[in-house]
Amino acid sequence: MCEVGTRPPLAAERGEPPGGAAAAAERCRDMGEQPIFTTRAHVFQIDPSTKKNWVPASKQAVTVSYFYDSTRNSYRIISVDGAKVIINSTITPNMTFTKTSQKFGQWADSRANTVFGLGFPSEQQLTKFAEKFQEVKEAAKLARDRSQEKIETSSNHSQESGRETPSSTRASSVNGTDDEKASHGGPAEAHLKSENDKLKIALAQSSSNVKKWETELQTLRESNARLTTALQESAASIEHWKKQFSACKEENDQLRSKIEELEEQCNEINKEKERNAQLSRRLQELETELQDKELELEELRKQGEIIPQLMSECESVSQQLQAAEKKNKDLEEKVRTLRTEVEESKHRQTNLKTELKNFLDVLDGKIDELHDFRQGLSKLGVDN
């Protein structure tokens, strides 16, 4: 940003392409305009269709500058995005810059038939731009007042010169008449004759004028009488219209009361319609529920037809169950008997095992004795 009296940054310093804001500033300088304040901001314009939404005029922050035209004594706000001019607004004393948030401000340009909006990086930059806008606005107002004073002064001078010219003309014409009188003097009789002829002509004209005035006076009297009659008739008609107006007013009041009653009735009718609509919806719901119930009842009827078969099947199943229970009891008895027999057989087996063990022990003893006996026999055979 650059203030008054400082050098605006070049395009290379800002990283802008050639022919951008710097080229526009150079063109403005060539036209007699000088930048007095420069900043950077995001530019927006009001949507012309909705007059509510903001449309971005630049994809990024661009340079926004105040320019002063010394030849025209005017101020402009100019902003260029590349080679496209997005702001060219001449500041007038009627413009107002409004801060809508901490970093956003706007102003309306009636000449461009749009509203410009600027989004700044910081609140400080917005404040400086607003202060400069107010300063430039006051300067534009002062320049306008000065130009009006100059116009009024020049118009006064022209009027005074115009007033002086006819007076001199009249003086010259008067002098010329006196000279003619002095140069063209005549006998008294010719002069009196001419004066007499003039008086006769004036008298004839006055008599004819008197007749015209009498005719006009008579016409005025007749028109006055007609106007008086018309005035009386209008007064009577005014009374009549007053009565009609009062009657119409009463009728209007009655109609208003009837309209209010009808509106109340309409409101009640609308409420009844809403209730009827609710009732119709409820009726449809009930009809749907009734159809569902009828379907369920039909299914229950079908199931009711199957119930006797189910009862017979249930009786047969219960009989089979009783038979199975009886068989189960018999089987339980058999199981108990078999368990008893198994226990007895186990007991017998244990006894048999004991006896078999004893028998095997005896058999082993006998085998040992037999073995000893064989050995004795073999010894005896050897001795023999």
Side-chain angles (χ1 to χ4, degrees):
M1 187 190 318
C2 65
E3 299 292 341
V4 178
T6 60
R7 179 184 62 82
L10 299 176
E13 295 174 358
R14 294 194 300 266
E16 295 179 352
E26 293 295 332
R27 288 196 297 270
C28 291
R29 289 193 190 97
D30 295 337
M31 296 171 64
E33 290 180 311
Q34 292 294 329
I36 59 174
F37 182 87
T38 302
T39 185
R40 293 182 67 83
H42 290 270
V43 180
F44 299 87
Q45 287 187 4
I46 201 72
D47 190 354
S49 59
T50 61
K51 298 294 183 182
K52 293 181 180 179
N53 300 326
W54 288 106
V55 178
S58 62
K59 297 181 180 179
Q60 58 187 358
V62 295
T63 302
V64 182
S65 302
Y66 286 93
F67 280 85
Y68 172 63
D69 188 353
S70 58
T71 58
R72 299 179 181 178
N73 198 13
S74 63
Y75 297 86
R76 288 197 299 169
I77 298 176
I78 297 176
S79 178
V80 180
D81 187 7
K84 179 182 177 183
V85 178
I86 55 178
I87 298 179
N88 185 5
S89 178
T90 302
I91 300 175
T92 63
N94 298 326
M95 287 184 178
T96 303
F97 186 82
T98 305
K99 294 180 181 179
T100 58
S101 65
Q102 293 182 352
K103 298 181 181 180
F104 193 86
Q106 66 184 41
W107 79 94
D109 190 345
S110 59
R111 295 181 180 178
N113 194 20
T114 187
V115 179
F116 293 103
L118 297 178
F120 293 90
S122 65
E123 185 178 1
Q124 183 180 5
Q125 293 181 1
L126 172 60
T127 304
K128 288 184 178 180
F129 188 89
E131 291 175 352
K132 181 56 67 175
F133 193 97
Q134 186 65 27
E135 179 183 344
V136 170
K137 175 182 172 183
E138 294 295 333
K141 184 178 180 182
L142 183 60
R144 185 188 66 178
D145 294 339
R146 288 177 180 175
S147 63
Q148 287 179 355
E149 288 177 359
K150 289 180 180 179
I151 292 169
E152 289 176 357
T153 305
S154 61
S155 64
N156 291 331
H157 286 304
S158 63
Q159 288 177 1
E160 289 175 359
S161 62
R163 288 173 184 173
E164 291 173 358
T165 303
S167 62
S168 62
T169 305
R170 285 197 300 271
S172 63
S173 63
V174 170
N175 294 328
T177 305
D178 295 336
D179 294 336
E180 288 175 358
K181 286 181 181 180
S183 61
H184 298 285
E189 292 179 359
H191 180 69
L192 291 174
K193 188 177 181 179
S194 63
E195 291 291 334
N196 192 10
D197 293 334
K198 289 178 182 180
L199 288 172
K200 287 178 181 180
I201 293 169
L203 181 61
Q205 289 179 354
S206 64
S207 62
S208 62
N209 289 331
V210 167
K211 290 180 180 179
K212 289 180 182 178
W213 291 340
E214 287 177 355
T215 305
E216 290 179 358
L217 180 60
Q218 186 63 28
T219 305
L220 289 173
R221 285 176 181 175
E222 292 176 357
S223 62
N224 191 12
R226 287 196 298 269
L227 288 172
T228 304
T229 307
L231 182 61
Q232 292 175 357
E233 291 176 356
S234 64
S237 63
I238 285 171
E239 293 296 331
H240 177 68
W241 285 115
K242 282 182 179 179
K243 292 179 182 178
Q244 286 188 353
F245 177 74
S246 60
C248 290
K249 189 175 181 181
E250 292 177 357
E251 187 177 358
N252 190 14
D253 294 335
Q254 292 177 0
L255 289 174
R256 282 183 180 177
S257 61
K258 287 182 180 179
I259 288 170
E260 290 176 356
E261 292 177 357
L262 290 173
E263 286 179 352
E264 291 178 357
Q265 291 179 2
C266 289
N267 292 328
E268 291 179 357
I269 289 169
N270 291 328
K271 290 179 181 178
E272 290 295 331
K273 285 182 180 179
E274 291 179 357
R275 291 174 185 172
N276 291 331
Q278 292 177 358
L279 291 174
S280 62
R281 288 195 295 270
R282 181 58 180 167
L283 182 61
Q284 290 177 357
E285 292 175 357
L286 292 174
E287 287 179 353
T288 306
E289 291 179 359
L290 182 60
Q291 291 177 357
D292 295 337
K293 295 296 182 182
E294 287 179 352
L295 293 174
E296 291 179 359
L297 183 60
E298 187 67 25
E299 291 178 356
L300 290 173
R301 285 177 182 174
K302 291 179 181 179
Q303 291 178 2
E305 294 176 355
I306 302 171
I307 285 174
Q309 297 177 0
L310 294 175
M311 291 294 291
S312 59
E313 290 178 0
C314 184
E315 289 178 357
S316 61
V317 169
S318 62
Q319 290 177 0
Q320 291 176 3
L321 183 62
Q322 289 177 359
E325 287 179 352
K326 187 180 288 186
K327 288 180 181 180
N328 191 14
K329 288 180 181 179
D330 294 338
L331 290 173
E332 286 179 355
E333 291 293 333
K334 288 180 180 179
V335 167
R336 291 194 192 95
T337 304
L338 289 173
R339 283 179 180 174
T340 305
E341 291 178 355
V342 166
E343 288 178 356
E344 290 178 355
S345 64
K346 284 182 179 180
H347 184 66
R348 290 174 185 174
Q349 284 179 0
T350 52
N351 292 330
L352 288 173
K353 284 180 180 179
T354 305
E355 290 178 358
L356 182 60
K357 187 178 181 181
N358 295 327
F359 177 74
L360 289 173
D361 293 335
V362 172
L363 183 60
D364 290 334
K366 295 293 184 182
I367 290 170
D368 292 333
E369 289 177 0
L370 182 59
H371 184 66
D372 293 335
F373 181 72
R374 281 181 180 178
Q375 288 179 355
L377 287 177
S378 61
K379 288 178 179 182
L380 287 176
V382 169
D383 294 333
N384 291 327

